[in-house]
Amino acid sequence: MSLPLPPLRDVIARHGLSAEKALGQNFLLDGQLLDRIARVPGPLEGERVYEVGPGPGGLTRALIGAGAEVTAVERDRRCLPALAELSEAAPGRLHVIEGDALAIDERATVGEGAHIVANLPYNVGTALLVRWLDAQDWPPWWRSLTLMFQKEVADRIVARPDTPAYGRLAVLAQWRSMPKIALPVHRSAFVPPPKVMSAVVHIVPTEQPEGVGIRTLEALTAAAFGQRRKMLRQSLKSLPGALAALDVVGIDPTRRAETLSVDEFVAVARTMQSPRRPGEDF
């Protein structure tokens, strides 16, 4: 879908927009790159997309151009006139909400089965990701996540055991979903260029392992990685049932958290939860 709009740089200049460091903003202006990001979730014709922090609407243009119906949440009211122009150019395809993404009831606002696609503001990116991965109900309301992060955060999401980046975020992202780095993004693609490289991460929910809930796993990984240099027998001694679960599963308590696979964390959490009623969380 081709939109009758001026170049994004002209829109930014006309509205006097500049990326605000306090809001974690960095604008993407490369149309080809934006189109590539919009293709990561798969065909979007007729699909619903939820976007956080659209700014002047570069990625929003690409999503609408790919055929999506977009609900965008923007807290920077300076960007609203530019987004209003985009909404007028694509009637019925863009709904803009002024507000804080951390305070939005997303399920009620967007409905079930939407894709989340966003060049996330750096200062809230991880918090939003954890919120989306942390749902008690699974499968979640969203169908997929396509999100821009600092490369350091992206590496933590997809990290494997026994690597420096492996930690709670990797376990949270991998125990019931499948994350991958879809494409790297050079710092020069942004205006202004950030000090760090970035990457787009694509996450698709998978089936949740039976007999374990998110709260149990969160408690386990918080204790284990909270003192990651210590042996598990030390880091887990204050968590009820954890050391006994290690013994049942057959995990050496002298190991450290970063050596355990995601499946091993799930097995320990399941064993911790097993005396409880089926489906009851820790």
Side-chain angles (χ1 to χ4, degrees):
M1 177 183 178
S2 179
L3 299 174
L5 290 167
L8 195 58
R9 288 184 183 274
D10 293 352
V11 172
I12 290 173
R14 180 157 44 83
H15 290 285
L17 297 177
S18 59
E20 286 285 344
K21 184 176 181 181
L23 297 176
Q25 291 176 331
N26 294 91
F27 296 156
L28 266 179
L29 306 183
D30 185 331
Q32 291 185 336
L33 175 58
L34 292 166
D35 286 341
R36 287 178 64 195
I37 296 172
R39 289 195 294 269
V40 169
L44 290 179
E45 186 67 42
E47 296 287 335
R48 285 175 294 112
V49 168
Y50 178 63
E51 183 184 7
V52 174
L59 181 56
T60 318
R61 291 185 180 202
L63 293 168
I64 293 174
E69 299 178 10
V70 180
T71 297
V73 176
E74 178 57 68
R75 65 176 296 186
D76 184 359
R77 60 180 51 191
R78 299 176 308 140
C79 295
L80 298 181
L83 294 171
E85 291 179 6
L86 178 52
S87 183
E88 290 176 8
R93 306 293 293 279
L94 174 60
H95 176 50
V96 179
I97 300 171
E98 181 186 359
D100 183 350
L102 289 169
I104 296 290
D105 184 340
E106 300 147 331
R107 187 192 295 264
T109 301
V110 188
E112 300 283 342
H115 297 276
I116 301 177
V117 186
N119 171 20
L120 289 175
Y122 282 164
N123 57 354
V124 296
T126 303
L128 283 168
L129 175 64
V130 170
R131 168 176 169 154
W132 293 326
L133 293 173
D134 201 30
Q136 285 274 31
D137 296 332
W138 204 264
W141 63 271
W142 47 268
R143 288 182 58 189
S144 73
L145 305 175
T146 301
L147 307 172
M148 179 85 73
F149 291 103
Q150 298 178 48
K151 187 177 184 299
E152 177 186 355
V153 176
D155 288 341
R156 287 168 53 203
I157 293 167
V158 302
R160 312 307 298 173
D162 264 330
T163 63
Y166 185 68
R168 292 186 68 194
L169 192 57
V171 178
L172 180 61
Q174 295 174 33
W175 79 288
R176 56 180 182 178
S177 62
M178 186 180 301
K180 67 176 183 179
I181 293 181
L183 62 143
V185 180
H186 196 274
R187 56 186 296 273
S188 62
F190 295 91
V191 177
K195 296 180 180 179
V196 297
M197 297 298 190
S198 299
V200 175
V201 177
H202 184 55
I203 302 176
V204 178
T206 56
E207 187 174 348
Q208 177 170 318
E210 293 184 3
V212 59
I214 181 64
R215 299 295 171 249
T216 310
L217 193 66
E218 282 184 333
L220 175 62
T221 54
F225 287 106
Q227 304 179 72
R228 63 183 300 149
R229 293 188 177 183
K230 293 187 177 181
M231 297 178 185
L232 292 170
R233 67 186 181 193
Q234 289 297 319
S235 60
L236 297 181
K237 65 181 181 180
S238 62
L239 184 62
L243 294 182
L246 289 181
D247 185 57
V248 171
V249 176
I251 292 176
D252 185 345
T254 65
R255 291 171 62 183
R256 291 176 171 81
E258 67 266 21
T259 71
L260 267 65
S261 69
V262 174
D263 287 344
E264 286 178 313
F265 273 112
V266 169
V268 173
R270 179 185 291 115
T271 302
M272 289 171 60
Q273 206 170 303
S274 61
R276 299 169 176 83
R277 295 187 300 274
E280 185 180 10
D281 218 342
F282 179 77

